[in-house]
Every structure is written in structure tokens, then in C-alpha cells.
Amino acid sequence: MVVLVTGANGQLGQSLQFIAPNYSEFHFVFCSSSDLDISNIESCQTVFSKIKPNYCINAAAYTAVDKAESEPEKAHLINVVGAQNLATVCKTNNTILLHISTDFVFDGTSPSDFAQDDAFSLKNAKGYTEEDIPNPTGVYGQTKLDGEKAIQATFENYYIIRTSWVYSQFGNNFMKTMLRLASERDSISVVNDQIGTPTNAVDLANALIQIILTDNPQSTTDNFGVYNFSNEGRCSWYDFAKKIFEINNKNIDLKPIPTSSFPTPAKRPKYSVLDKSKIKSTFGIEIKKWEDSLKKVFN
């Protein structure tokens, strides 16, 4: 069983490499952008004809949320054209596509059971389901949504997995940034009015393999479609930072601030908790609480 992974040098790509030895029944082929340029259809065709993958995990993406506002063409090329190219070659080669998307397809204002200025209500609101209507507020979210649509318009044999606040021991991420800042400063300010769920990239990687393991014995499947995956629970970025420092015994003056005090080129969803009921019931995936998974990274 051949599993091709794009974006091998990213957080998820490295996390899949980290767990690959646990799944000897699969032959993994990891491709960086220099091995496989997903924005180039000829590159995709060449690699697929050589490798002949049964599954393709697309972990390649343009993820620089703020930079995307000034580089919309580049974000579109990777997140939309790249996704469509992979869907096209997957269809030709009878390959099943697992594509990673994001909570940024939502605007963060949709759940009806909370007031926008009520932090307590935000933390107790329902999570977004796969049926909720996306409404991205920036270039990154829009290109990721357009990538989803491009795949859906091309063929049916796909799993689109939306995730959020991804971190790991690999690559660049919020966790690593906080630890670096803690070594350089005595005081750090972090926004406390954006609510979501941190996702350990290794947990996401294992969930993707579980989807393949469930899908593989079936000649046809009714399970294709869009799914949400993050760790369980919810918190603000301030809560996330606080837990990172607590686990690492870092004594630092951590200050909560509103989003308005930390303006960024791209608008962030105020609330982007994802409901994981569908992926848990369909694939029997057990999901760790975000706090427990964070501790595992440091163990």
C-alpha cells in the first residue's frame, strides 16, 4: 500500500515521517516541494506515474496567514491550483486524496448561542460542524476554501480534513515561538479573545492513517467527504501560552490582551472550535484533550 505525502518538510509532513515506522504495512513516499511541485501539473503527473500511490496525503500548503494578504497569487497557486492538480492526477491514477484544510474557512461569528463580546459564552459555544457554511475573512482562508471546492469539483474520492492551531516539535509554530520569546523577554502579551483548539500535528498524522486503515479494506466507500479534526477542548491563545509555560516551568510575566491591541494584516476568527463528532463516529478515532497532548510533546 503506497502512501504519497506532499509537503514533507512541513509540520504535518515531519509528523507523518515520525510515526511512519509504526505502520509497516504502508510504503510511505515523502515529497518536498523540490521533489513534487503541486502547482505544476506536469510535475504531479511525473511523480504519480512513477510512484503509483494508492493514497495521497496533501500536507503541502501556503500557511503564512498574514503574508497571504500581500501575496494572494502565491497563496492561490499552492492552495487552489495545487489542490486541483493533485485531485486531477489522483482521479487519473485511481488514488484516494486526503487533503488538509483549516478552521480559517469560517469567520468565527457563526455559532448562534453566544454573544460576541462574552468570553465565557465563547468558551461554551458549540463547535463548527462540517455542515456549517464557510465564510472566510482573509486570503488564506479563502484560498483554502477554494482549494476544497476545486477538489470537490474534480472527483469524489477525497477526504478533506479541517484542522486548527497546529503545533508540534517540528517546524515553526506558536508553541516554539512562545518558548523562544520566553528565553528572550521577561514579559509577553498574548490575545485572550480568540477561542479555538490547539492540534498536535502528530495526533493529526495518526488520525489520517486511521482514516486510511478504515478505508483500505473497502472496495467502495460512503465515507468520502469533509471532516473536522483537532484535539479536544477549547482555549484562548493566552490560555495556550500559559499552559506551555506551566508545563516547562517557565516563570514569565504573561499578559492577556484583546485582539484590538495586536492588529495583524489578516483578520482571525474570534471563535473557531471544531466539532469532531463525525470523524470520531465514522473512523472510531479517540481524540486526546489538548492539554494532555501538549504535555506529550515535552515528554
Side-chain angles (χ1 to χ4, degrees):
M1 189 62 59
V2 180
V3 180
L4 169 64
V5 180
T6 69
N9 293 336
Q11 280 197 82
L12 180 56
Q14 291 186 70
S15 296
L16 283 159
Q17 292 180 64
F18 179 67
I19 68 168
N22 300 332
Y23 299 98
S24 57
E25 62 268 53
F26 297 130
H27 173 60
F28 289 92
V29 179
F30 293 95
C31 292
S32 66
S33 57
S34 59
D35 305 315
L36 169 57
D37 178 3
I38 65 170
S39 68
N40 183 301
I41 188 67
E42 287 81 12
S43 175
C44 295
Q45 290 166 339
T46 300
V47 171
F48 270 67
S49 62
K50 180 181 178 182
I51 294 172
K52 296 180 171 55
N54 302 96
Y55 293 87
C56 172
I57 297 176
N58 182 26
Y62 182 105
T63 58
V65 176
D66 289 320
K67 209 172 178 184
E69 296 298 311
S70 58
E71 293 185 342
E73 296 86 1
K74 190 172 181 181
H76 181 271
L77 189 63
I78 299 170
N79 292 345
V80 186
V81 176
Q84 185 161 25
N85 287 342
L86 286 174
T88 299
V89 293
C90 280
K91 183 178 182 179
T92 302
N93 290 273
N94 198 28
T95 302
I96 292 170
L97 177 62
L98 288 82
H99 175 78
I100 310 305
S101 192
T102 174
D103 58 328
F104 273 68
V105 300
F106 298 114
D107 60 16
T109 63
S110 180
S112 58
D113 54 348
F114 67 84
Q116 291 303 306
D117 58 352
D118 186 338
F120 175 79
S121 294
L122 278 170
K123 288 191 177 183
N124 291 277
K126 295 174 182 176
Y128 279 102
T129 71
E130 292 82 358
E131 282 70 46
D132 284 316
I133 306 299
N135 183 35
T137 59
V139 171
Y140 168 66
Q142 186 63 57
T143 58
K144 291 300 289 181
L145 178 60
D146 290 344
E148 290 184 13
K149 290 178 178 178
I151 291 167
Q152 293 166 328
T154 302
F155 81 145
E156 297 177 349
N157 296 359
Y158 64 82
Y159 297 99
I160 291 171
I161 297 92
R162 293 171 177 161
T163 190
S164 64
W165 296 23
V166 179
Y167 71 94
S168 65
Q169 61 264 51
F170 309 108
N172 298 314
N173 54 69
F174 179 81
M175 179 191 78
K176 286 190 170 183
T177 298
M178 288 299 104
L179 291 173
R180 175 177 57 79
L181 291 176
S183 68
E184 299 169 353
R185 305 179 186 178
D186 298 322
S187 178
I188 301 175
S189 298
V190 180
V191 295
N192 71 335
D193 57 355
Q194 295 172 25
I195 307 298
T197 309
T199 304
N200 186 330
V202 174
D203 290 343
L204 174 58
N206 277 305
L208 295 172
I209 301 305
Q210 184 61 45
I211 290 173
I212 294 175
L213 287 169
T214 304
D215 174 276
N216 184 36
Q218 307 175 44
S219 55
T220 60
T221 179
D222 296 323
N223 295 335
F224 293 131
V226 179
Y227 291 86
N228 294 333
F229 181 89
S230 69
N231 284 113
E232 293 284 21
R234 61 193 67 195
C235 65
S236 67
W237 288 107
Y238 169 82
D239 298 326
F240 189 14
K242 187 176 179 182
K243 183 60 70 172
I244 291 166
F245 297 140
E246 180 185 303
I247 293 170
N248 287 275
N249 297 312
K250 297 278 187 186
N251 290 318
I252 189 160
D253 179 21
L254 183 64
K255 294 184 172 72
I257 58 169
T259 298
S260 57
S261 296
F262 189 72
T264 55
K267 184 181 178 183
R268 265 69 174 169
K270 189 167 187 176
Y271 179 89
S272 63
V273 175
L274 300 172
D275 183 292
K276 278 80 67 176
S277 302
K278 182 181 176 184
I279 200 167
K280 288 191 286 188
S281 62
T282 304
F283 301 106
I285 294 172
E286 294 183 10
I287 304 179
K288 299 183 184 75
K289 291 181 180 177
W290 73 264
E291 300 96 329
D292 296 336
S293 209
L294 180 62
K295 289 175 186 173
K296 276 194 69 177
V297 172
F298 299 109
N299 291 336

